[in-house]
Amino acid sequence: MPLIDSGKLVDDAWVRLGDDDALPAADVPVIVSLARFHKDRASLAGRNGGLGVWLASNQHPKDIADHLADFALVALDFPKFRDGRGFTIARELREHLGYRGVIRATGHTLPDQYLFLVRCGVTQVEIPEGRDPALWAHALTEIDTAYQVSVAGPLSMARLARHKTTEHAA
Amino acid sequence: MSPTAAARQIDPPANGLPSHAGIYHYDQVDRDFLKQRVEQFRRQVARRLAGELTEDEFKPLRLMNGLYLQLHAYMLRVAVPYGVLTSRQVRQFGRIARQYDKGFGHFTTRQNLQFNWIKLVDVPAILDLLAEVDLHAIQTSGNCIRNVTSDQFAGVASDEVVDPRHYAEVLRQWSTLHPEFSFLPRKFKIAITGSSADRAAICIHDVGLIAKRDADGNVGFEVYVGGGLGRTPFIAKKLRDWLPEDQLIAYLEAVLRVYNAYGRRDNIYKARIKILVHELGIDAFRNEVEAEFARMPVAEYRLEPTIIDGIRARFASQPYEALEPISGVLARARLEDQAFNRWVRTNVAAHRQPGYAIATITLKPAGGIPGDVSADQMDAIADLADHYSFGEIRVTHEQNLVLAHVRQDDLPALWKALSAIGFGEANSGLITDIIACPGLDYCALANARSIPLAQRISERFADLDRQHHIGELKIKISGCINACGHHHVGHIGILGVDKKGVEAYQLTLGGSAAEVGAIGDIMGPALSADETVDAIESVVGVYLEQRQDGERFLDTLARIGHTPFKDKVYASH
Ligand code: HEM
Ligand code: SF4
């Protein structure tokens, strides 16, 4: 899956492990489901590559609150672009749980949602195969005014109207 | 133009907007934002036309810009923030109606304006024309926070405690392209009022707010949640009795977060917040919201008084003249002309400013289409607003318009001018002041036509003497259970149903969207259109027979119950 970070196409070093897949070499960063994380915590700990966890849109961030320090990446699934739970989950990870690692959106998203994702704290997006990455880059520049606080923006309502999104969209 | 009106006009500012209309006046940042939003949609349309977006993907994008696919064409729903417009904006509607529609527009129960015959390729150009006058179609549909609605008498009502427009504007800005709440389980409608009389129907909204003051004069809000119509109607429940002004945004964020995380996404008929509130129970729902609220960095979401002041400062005030509280001109005209007197009785309300009045323009001429206004009528109304009401026009959720600042002395002349364009009907709040959804004439979801039935009822009861004799009686018609025509809360509600492939109508009695909201009760088996008109005649007959001194229809119904009405309606069956 092509990966977008800060509007640019980047290489993806992470491997998404199925629940029954064998573990790759210890320096390969892996993303596992929450179920596998709980099942294989011992063998997943102490790998050199990073550890990431994948949350379905009905899994709640409080389920991983106690383990956040273990994860260099949290992947959030968007089963359909219309399912907007991931926006609230990302914002919650940042705002309530203070998570500072990578948040990656996976599944079905549209470039038209990219700026919203970024403003909710998402850092990377796996885009569907065959889509033009330029649309994602462009999406960050389309609208540069925001009328509300967001976790990726100025952290106060001091000016309800008009934050420049470009100041913090990277 | 009358000399007094000329004296009351001020120089328009550079952007040409009459600066005394009680709207939030945009600044350059707002205009730049809107331009970018239009460009964004222009590219989305181009991608759709080029096949880069599937219809499934394009749908929520166009809906977030107010564009529906109806039975025969696209419908564009233009936001009228809390229902207030300038004369220049109304003229622009007229221009768009002529150039891109069939010469008319339609005012809706959500205080919006709809164009019913729009081509997709024209939409970006139409949005450009709207942006020229600081208007847009942002979030007038889609599963996001919709255009916030309010009291059409905001700022002028004599019973007002807090002007809700400033808070409605706060909410408009906050909800505009909200990054977290643009893909909610379902649409989300907020209504706000600041008076003891609820003219904004807050009890049937996802969130209803009543702005009020504590003993020290501080502003706060009573918060209601989970109201709505559709196939499972609910009257909203109280969530908070007192929410301090500075916590308004933080608290609403908490409500929406709970909804976005837990609202149902498996069934669109169960996706509104009303179902979540109902399934959890209001106490458990409140606990969730309060828990989220307690975790929030509230300081970051604090709605500082300076923010509200900044927004309030961009609302023009009206340079009222110092007038005698009672106008001799008006009193004489009422004595001399019975027809005018009747119009004053139903269509004129008290203004807080001495010597002024609030005039309702009912868009319900006998036999007409509720809410429809032609381009020529729009121009004429815009002119009247310039002459008589500081260039301001308001839209009501009953599909009528309001001139909110008319000198009592000017009322006779205003009424004559309105009569000349077919909108002088003295029927506000009466049996022909009908709300009707688009129904089967336009809507792909409809079971039955709404508009022709509204027209027939309006013709049947056209006699104004009789209407005034009957008094307050609200008929609301929806073409299907989605209830866009608010039939659940009509004193007489009419619901279009499909009876083995034939259009039929089910009647309800006793609904209300006033302070004490109520869902009407179904009377009995569905009727044909002919029978429906007769049934309403029967219901009115029973009421007139049974009413005791001063009782309104709802009072009599409450006293004698539904049975006498049912018996009469179904006696001939
Ligand atoms: C013809 C195009 C229209 C379509 C396809 C449409 C569709 C719908 C649907 C599906 C619902 C039910 C939503 C739910 O309960 O979750 C609904 C409710 C509603 N719509 Fe429409 N509608 C249309 C036109 C209108 C118009 C013209 C108005 C305003 C006059 C309007 C105002 C409303 C209102 C007030 C509700 C119900 C109140 C509520 O539960 O929030 N709609 N509409
Ligand atoms: S009530 Fe039904 S028929 Fe009427 S506009 Fe709404 S969806 Fe269409």
Side-chain angles (χ1 to χ4, degrees), chain A residues 82 88 95 131 147-148, chain B residues 30 44 56-57 174 180 301:
Chain A
R82 271 186 251 108
T88 286
E95 187 179 81
R131 294 302 179 98
Y147 282 95
Q148 58 291 104
Chain B
D30 297 309
Q44 288 167 346
D56 184 50
E57 290 173 333
W174 159 74
E180 191 176 337
Y301 291 89

Side-chain angles (χ1 to χ4, degrees), chain B residues 68 70 75 77 114 187 436-450 477-487 495-496:
Chain B
Y68 271 87
Q70 291 191 324
M75 174 267 273
R77 185 182 289 164
Q114 295 186 176
K187 58 180 156 185
C437 81
L440 198 53
D441 293 294
Y442 296 100
C443 178
L445 305 177
N447 290 321
R449 284 169 294 172
S450 308
I477 310 176
S478 306
C480 80
I481 194 62
N482 287 316
C484 303
H486 293 188
H487 68 276
L495 164 66

Side-chain angles (χ1 to χ4, degrees), chain B residues 342-362:
Chain B
R342 222 164 26 198
W343 181 76
V344 173
R345 269 215 309 268
T346 48
N347 288 48
V348 173
H351 196 292
R352 59 159 53 156
Q353 183 69 24
Y356 283 82
I358 308 170
T360 296
I361 307 173
T362 30

Side-chain angles (χ1 to χ4, degrees), chain B residues 372-451:
Chain B
D372 265 15
V373 182
S374 74
D376 291 343
Q377 287 169 327
M378 288 184 199
D379 285 348
I381 289 169
D383 289 346
L384 291 174
D386 283 340
H387 274 68
Y388 297 118
S389 199
F390 302 113
E392 181 198 290
I393 296 117
R394 301 183 181 198
V395 188
T396 81
H397 83 271
E398 294 181 320
Q399 300 183 287
N400 293 322
L401 299 180
V402 163
L403 297 184
H405 324 275
V406 183
R407 292 180 353 149
Q408 292 178 9
D409 286 355
D410 290 338
L411 285 169
L414 172 64
W415 177 65
K416 278 203 186 75
L418 286 173
S419 301
I421 58 166
F423 287 144
E425 202 78 355
N427 61 347
S428 176
L430 301 184
I431 193 166
T432 61
D433 187 4
I434 300 169
I435 292 183
C437 81
L440 198 53
D441 293 294
Y442 296 100
C443 178
L445 305 177
N447 290 321
R449 284 169 294 172
S450 308
I451 291 170

